[in-house]
């Protein structure tokens, strides 16, 4: 049986349409394009069987297989849609408004039963941020953040709150993927000098001093992003501050923390200073990739012990994307970067291709793990809107440019359940394509007229660091964390000694003054010995001045007077040693 062809939803100022994915790239025949210029939201269900959108008049829900209309809801102002994992519930959100006299507004978050089409529950949800309830994959649990505590509902019964998780002030939470038992990660921001913390719990064990599976506290966190791996065994927490007090970056400061459900936690050590742009787990849940550091940014893959296992070097990148099967990795630089992409074979860490998608603001893997889409969307960029579909070997297969007076707002692939598209063997040779992968050449740097006919000097502001596999091979084994720390300590001590030696005056050559300085003789009287020692120091200083004079350096008047006192000092030492 041939694998299904994923659909692509395209939403913009010209309405919404469904396009067949590779290899066809044609409009979906069963789906009638909606020409409304006010399509504010569209969404596929998590299994890809349903598709919904709001056209400014009603919400339509259709079956993706035949585009048959299943439900139509009279909700013209909806700007948020979400399907529960098993397509039992549809959640909708519209902007919260109060009455003209300041009275409380009507509930703006509605939950609809997709079988009957009836509203089963309504809530007031003022903020659009994190508006949607979160379900476990089996829909046994649904959770909402309400007034700094997490409310849990069971089996889509929204009339009764089955459990509450109440800490000081829960700011955010994330449910784990996978089947029962469900785990939850909660974030509580710090206040009054206390640190922020993230805790992991297993539902419904929230009470008691030892109920938390793991706990990690940290300072410097105005907000966090929590990312579970696919097996729900660990969470990566990116803690961010809005302002970098050192002034080194306008991105603020970021730190990356690893927390496992077995209680282990660690700070992920990043060798290069600077922002953390992106973090992604591999589908295998045993490794993750981080893009970090001032430009050109580094990218490194870490294992579950937070040890680096592969370094991609530096480059113009700020995003990382694993394929749905986890066998291919894309490093990319979008937004204010040129759109350069690096496609890597994860198993062998071998570079496959380096395509460039100029002005791209969006990237997504096709569920088949072979194709990718890049798009230039409004309002990030209001000109040159359109999308391109590529093969991972770098071949451009399809290109769609939006007319000059129109805008593209969103493109998204139809999702599929895991296992529908198994991983295929990776090919390195570019597949044939009908479109040329032509890209506009970057403008050359300005050169003053006097230098235009002369050879270009090869000056680089930054020296790019090559990937680990392309560096000169070293026979030495990689050092452990402890060895690396000890080496840094030794280097710091060595540097401190070097500085102290530079600050100290040079020791005179003892051989040169053996004839003038008497041999060390003790008289038995501590006071006399001390005087002799001080006089000998003065003689050493005189010897140094004589060497300077012999080298041709002009001496000051007081220095010449010191040299003239040499015989007097020798006579004084001799008298003290003889006890005269």
């Amino acid at each position: 049986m041939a694998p299904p062809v994923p659909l692509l939803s395209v939403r913009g100022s010209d309405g919404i349409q469904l396009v067949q994915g590779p290899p066809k790239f044609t409009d979906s025949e069963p789906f009638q394009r909606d020409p409304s210029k006010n399509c504010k939201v569209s969404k596929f269900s998590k299994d890809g069987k349903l598709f919904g959108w709001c056209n400014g008049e009603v919400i339509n829900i259709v079956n993706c297989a035949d585009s048959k209309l299943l439900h139509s809801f009279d909700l013209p102002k909806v700007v948020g849609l979400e399907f529960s994992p098993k397509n039992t519930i549809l959640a909708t959100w519209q902007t919260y408004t109060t009455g003209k006299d300041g009275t409380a507004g009507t509930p703006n978050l509605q939950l609809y039963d997709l079988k009957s089409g009836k509203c089963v529950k309504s809530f007031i949800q003022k903020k659009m941020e994190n508006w949607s309830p979160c379900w476990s994959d089996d829909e046994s649990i649904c959770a909402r953040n309400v007034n700094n505590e997490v409310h849990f509902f069971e089996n889509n019964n929204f009339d009764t709150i089955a459990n509450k998780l109440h800490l000081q002030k829960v700011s955010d939470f994330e449910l784990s993927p996978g089947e029962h038992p469900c785990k939850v990660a909660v974030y509580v921001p710090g206040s009054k000098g206390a640190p922020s913390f993230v805790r992991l719990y297993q539902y419904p064990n929230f009470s008691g001093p030892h109920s938390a599976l793991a706990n990690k506290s940290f300072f410097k966190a105005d907000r966090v992003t929590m990312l579970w791996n696919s097996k729900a065994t660990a969470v990566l927490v990116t803690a961010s501050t809005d302002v970098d007090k050192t002034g080194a970056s306008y991105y603020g400061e970021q730190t990356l923390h690893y927390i496992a459900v077995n209680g282990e936690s660690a700070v992920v050590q990043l060798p290069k200073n600077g922002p953390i742009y992106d973090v992604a787990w591999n589908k295998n849940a045993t490794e993750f990739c981080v893009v970090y550091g001032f430009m050109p940014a580094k990218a490194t893959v870490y294992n579950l012990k937070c040890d680096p296992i592969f370094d991609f070097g530096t480059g113009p990148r700020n995003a990382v994307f694993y394929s749905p099967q986890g066998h291919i990795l894309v490093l990319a630089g979008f937004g204010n970067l040129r759109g350069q992409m690096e496609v890597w074979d994860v198993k062998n860490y071998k570079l496959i291709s380096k395509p460039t998608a100029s002005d791209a603001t969006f990237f997504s893997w096709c569920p088949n793990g072979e194709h990718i889409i890049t798009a230039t969307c409004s309002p990030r960029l209001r000109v040159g809107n359109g999308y391109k579909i590529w093969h991972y070997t770098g071949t451009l297969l399809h290109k769609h440019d939006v007319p000059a007076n129109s805008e593209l707002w969103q493109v998204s692939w139809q999702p599929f359940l895991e296992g529908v598209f198994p991983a295929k063997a990776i090919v390195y040779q570019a597949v044939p394509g009908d479109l040329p992968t032509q890209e506009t050449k970057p403008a050359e740097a300005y050169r003053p007229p006097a230098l235009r006919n002369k050879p270009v000097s090869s000056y680089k502001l930054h020296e790019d660091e090559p990937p680990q596999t392309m560096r000169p091979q070293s026979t030495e084994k990689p050092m452990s964390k402890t060895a690396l720390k000890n080496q840094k300590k030794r280097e710091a001590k060595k540097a401190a000694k070097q500085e102290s030696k530079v600050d100290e005056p040079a020791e005179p050559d003892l051989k040169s003054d053996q004839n003038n300085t008497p041999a060390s003789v003790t008289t038995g009287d501590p006071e006399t010995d001390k005087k002799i020692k001080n006089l000998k120091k003065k003689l050493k200083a005189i010897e140094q001045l004589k060497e300077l004079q012999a080298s041709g350096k002009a001496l000051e008047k007081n220095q010449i007077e010191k040299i003239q006192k040499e015989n007097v000092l020798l006579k004084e030492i001799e008298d003290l040693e003889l006890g005269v």
Side-chain angles (χ1 to χ4, degrees), residues 15-312:
I16 193 161
Q17 61 182 338
L18 292 181
V19 178
Q20 289 185 312
K24 297 182 179 180
F25 309 114
T26 56
D27 289 355
S28 174
E29 293 179 4
F31 184 82
Q32 294 297 316
R33 179 176 168 272
D34 189 333
S36 171
K37 295 184 179 294
N38 198 25
C39 290
K40 292 184 177 179
V41 62
S42 63
K43 190 78 175 181
F44 281 105
S45 63
K46 289 180 172 59
D47 59 4
K49 293 180 179 179
L50 304 179
F51 179 67
W53 75 97
C54 178
N55 59 13
E57 296 177 1
V58 294
I59 294 175
N60 292 320
I61 308 296
V62 298
N63 189 323
C64 289
D66 54 10
S67 294
K68 181 183 177 183
L69 183 65
L70 302 178
H71 293 287
S72 186
F73 301 99
D74 186 17
L75 295 167
K77 296 182 180 179
V78 162
V79 292
L81 281 179
E82 190 67 45
F83 291 91
S84 65
K86 291 191 172 183
N87 300 336
T88 308
I89 302 291
L90 174 70
T92 68
W93 185 89
Q94 52 192 324
T95 306
Y96 178 74
T97 54
T98 56
K100 292 182 179 179
D101 55 353
T103 56
T106 57
N108 60 323
L109 168 58
Q110 278 90 22
L111 302 179
Y112 289 89
D113 186 331
L114 280 172
K115 287 184 178 179
S116 64
K118 294 181 180 179
C119 181
V120 294
K121 190 68 178 178
S122 295
F123 299 100
I124 290 178
Q125 173 68 33
K126 294 182 179 180
K127 294 181 180 179
M128 188 176 186
E129 184 182 8
N130 300 327
W131 71 266
S132 176
C134 294
W135 282 270
S136 60
D137 286 355
D138 58 3
E139 290 191 14
S140 62
I141 300 165
C142 180
R144 287 185 68 229
N145 190 350
V146 183
N147 297 327
N148 300 123
E149 60 183 25
V150 185
H151 292 181
F152 292 88
F153 306 92
E154 292 182 352
N155 301 315
N156 290 323
N157 178 11
F158 298 99
D159 294 325
T160 306
I161 299 174
N163 265 295
K164 287 185 181 180
L165 176 55
H166 179 70
L167 297 170
Q168 292 98 317
K169 279 188 177 181
V170 177
S171 173
D172 198 6
F173 75 96
E174 283 289 337
L175 292 185
S176 65
E179 298 296 327
H180 194 77
C182 185
K183 303 177 186 70
V184 58
V186 292
Y187 164 62
V188 176
S191 61
K192 298 180 181 179
S196 306
F197 62 85
V198 170
R199 284 182 187 163
L200 308 185
Y201 293 93
Q202 182 169 300
Y203 184 85
N205 304 323
F206 299 142
S207 59
H210 303 293
S211 57
L213 300 173
N215 180 74
K216 178 69 176 175
S217 58
F218 41 83
F219 290 95
K220 294 185 179 180
D222 294 325
R223 63 188 181 279
V224 302
T225 303
M226 296 176 286
L227 189 64
W228 282 96
N229 64 8
S230 60
K231 294 181 180 177
T233 58
V235 180
L236 288 172
V237 179
T238 306
S240 308
T241 59
D242 295 326
V243 178
D244 184 355
K245 293 181 180 179
T246 64
S249 171
Y250 57 77
Y251 289 100
E253 288 183 88
Q254 291 88 25
T255 51
L256 184 61
H257 305 268
Y258 168 86
I259 311 172
V261 295
N262 61 7
E264 294 178 357
S265 65
V267 178
V268 182
Q269 298 297 329
L270 305 175
K272 189 173 185 179
N273 293 330
I276 298 173
Y277 303 103
D278 201 7
V279 182
W281 279 104
N282 192 338
K283 185 69 178 175
N284 61 21
T286 60
E287 61 187 35
F288 58 92
C289 185
V290 190
V291 181
Y292 61 95
F294 295 113
M295 287 294 166
K298 281 180 76 72
T300 308
V301 177
Y302 293 85
N303 60 18
L304 294 183
K305 294 182 179 179
C306 297
D307 293 328
I309 57 177
F310 189 80
D311 183 3
F312 292 99

Side-chain angles (χ1 to χ4, degrees), residues 1-16:
M1 182 178 175
V5 176
L7 294 173
L8 182 71
S9 74
V10 181
R11 182 174 64 88
S13 58
D14 292 335
I16 193 161

Side-chain angles (χ1 to χ4, degrees), residues 457-478:
S457 58
S458 59
Y459 174 77
K460 283 188 178 180
L461 186 63
H462 302 284
E463 283 297 329
D464 287 343
E465 185 181 316
Q468 189 174 312
T469 50
M470 298 180 187
R471 295 174 199 163
Q473 291 296 321
S474 173
T475 54
E476 296 179 6
K477 293 182 179 179

